[in-house]
Amino acid sequence: MVRKLNKIALLIIKLAISSGLLYYVLSKVGAEKVLAIIRTISPFAFIFAITIYIFSIYVSTMRWRLLLPNEFKEKKLFSFYMIGAFFNTFLPGVIGGDAVKTYYLYKEINSGSISLSSVFMDRYIGFASLMIMGLVAYIIGFNYIKGSIVEWLLPAIILAFLIGSLVVFGLRFGKRIRVLSQFYDYFDHYRNQKALITKTFFLSLIVQVLNIISIYVITLGLGQHISLIYFFIFFPVITTISTVPISISGLGVREGAFVLLFGLVGIKPEMATAMSFAWFLSVAFGGLTGLFEYLRLKR
């Protein structure tokens, strides 16, 4: 009972933070202006962004498949991934997408350790590729962001990621606990398979590039022409900030990040907010595919 109340309280806090941030951003830029800009988006660009998102989910499925025993088919895992994407978008804070994927996988293999470990490693490798991509873009495009908040914010995020990795994989806290011990056994099994890790990392890079291209396509659809290097620099920051569990599906936080970062390159706040909302809408429409998969498996 206490645990349930705590989850409800946390959800209410997240709703309050998202609502407060959205209200602040929209009150500054004008909700009518943002809506008017979104209405001007090219239908072709919007549909193309949705297609890119669904394809990125499929590539993510290929990565997850490599982290599981051989008997799993990509078609079934793709179904699980799409369902997870749907829950992440439409029921955030209630049931997480990773929890849904873990649940469906557990039903298939009846192994909690493999289910949890594979989902965690899938997420971790994806985030590691994002950090490395952000670091490369940071070095190449340093002159573009010199003197801005990104100059120190992105390195701080990468450093925090490295410290977190050291704590989890280096110090191995809680290794005497059965669940964590099984996780470390899973990690030890895969870490020496360099060819496999290289493949998963390469697929992760493809996923991150697809995500960046989808935002770029949305921006072009809104009539904005911004150098692609900025998207490679800003995307790791936006993604990291949005995934911090203080809001509902990153709403409010993501819009604030768009306004702050793209404002550095001369994009007006209302346009940056429209870019963020339009990208989120493309993800939401793509995630609806997961609803049909959920209903199909439930039936």
Side-chain angles (χ1 to χ4, degrees):
M1 182 64 181
V2 174
R3 185 178 179 183
K4 187 175 182 180
L5 290 174
N6 288 336
K7 290 183 68 175
I8 294 174
L10 181 60
L11 178 60
I12 292 173
I13 292 172
K14 289 183 177 182
L15 280 170
I17 292 175
S18 284
S19 301
L21 289 172
L22 280 175
Y23 176 79
Y24 176 78
V25 171
L26 292 176
S27 64
K28 292 291 184 180
V29 302
E32 298 83 3
K33 290 183 180 179
V34 173
L35 183 59
I37 294 172
I38 292 176
R39 286 174 175 170
T40 65
I41 191 169
S42 164
F44 173 78
F46 188 72
I47 294 172
F48 189 34
I50 294 173
T51 305
I52 293 173
Y53 172 71
I54 294 176
F55 182 62
S56 73
I57 294 294
Y58 178 71
V59 178
S60 297
T61 303
M62 295 170 60
R63 178 185 63 200
W64 190 23
R65 168 67 186 79
L66 293 173
L67 298 171
L68 289 167
N70 293 328
E71 63 266 21
F72 281 96
K73 296 181 179 179
E74 286 180 0
K75 183 178 180 181
K76 182 173 289 186
L77 293 177
F78 179 66
S79 177
F80 295 168
Y81 227 113
M82 289 305 304
I83 294 171
F86 167 74
F87 276 85
N88 260 344
T89 305
F90 292 95
L91 291 174
V94 181
I95 303 175
D98 287 343
V100 172
K101 289 188 295 181
T102 302
Y103 166 74
Y104 277 105
L105 184 60
Y106 175 76
K107 287 180 66 177
E108 291 290 325
I109 63 176
N110 198 30
S111 174
S113 61
I114 293 179
S115 301
L116 286 168
S117 300
S118 66
V119 170
F120 175 84
M121 286 301 295
D122 178 67
R123 174 74 70 171
Y124 176 83
I125 293 173
F127 204 76
S129 67
L130 180 67
M131 294 296 99
I132 292 176
M133 181 181 292
L135 179 61
V136 172
Y138 177 86
I139 294 172
I140 295 175
F142 182 76
N143 290 332
Y144 292 95
I145 57 172
K146 188 176 181 180
S148 70
I149 187 175
V150 184
E151 182 179 355
W152 61 267
L153 183 57
L154 185 56
I157 290 173
I158 294 173
L159 180 61
F161 174 74
L162 291 175
I163 293 173
S165 299
L166 176 63
V167 171
V168 174
F169 297 110
L171 302 180
R172 300 201 172 201
F173 287 141
K175 62 182 178 181
R176 296 184 182 276
I177 301 173
R178 182 182 177 185
V179 174
L180 292 178
S181 176
Q182 291 173 337
F183 165 74
Y184 289 124
D185 290 341
Y186 173 92
F187 171 70
D188 289 336
H189 173 72
Y190 280 99
R191 70 172 180 175
N192 294 323
Q193 300 184 38
K194 295 182 179 180
L196 185 145
I197 295 299
T198 300
K199 288 180 182 178
T200 58
F201 184 77
F202 177 72
L203 290 173
S204 295
L205 288 177
I206 294 176
V207 171
Q208 304 305 342
V209 171
L210 287 172
N211 287 328
I212 291 170
I213 291 176
S214 68
I215 303 177
Y216 185 68
V217 168
I218 288 292
T219 304
L220 290 176
L222 290 170
Q224 300 298 303
H225 299 274
I226 307 170
S227 175
L228 191 59
I229 186 66
Y230 290 122
F231 292 86
F232 278 91
I233 297 173
F234 295 160
F235 183 72
V237 179
I238 292 171
T239 301
T240 305
I241 294 175
S242 300
T243 53
V244 175
I246 60 172
S247 63
I248 299 296
S249 197
L251 285 172
V253 177
R254 180 177 51 253
E255 284 67 43
F258 264 82
V259 170
L260 176 65
L261 296 175
F262 283 97
L264 299 174
V265 295
I267 300 300
K268 294 181 179 180
E270 58 269 25
M271 177 57 71
T273 305
M275 288 163 51
S276 177
F277 273 124
W279 179 46
F280 175 75
L281 287 173
S282 70
V283 171
F285 273 90
L288 283 174
T289 308
L291 173 61
F292 299 116
E293 285 299 299
Y294 171 72
L295 295 175
R296 183 178 67 85
L297 290 184
K298 187 177 181 181
R299 185 172 62 249

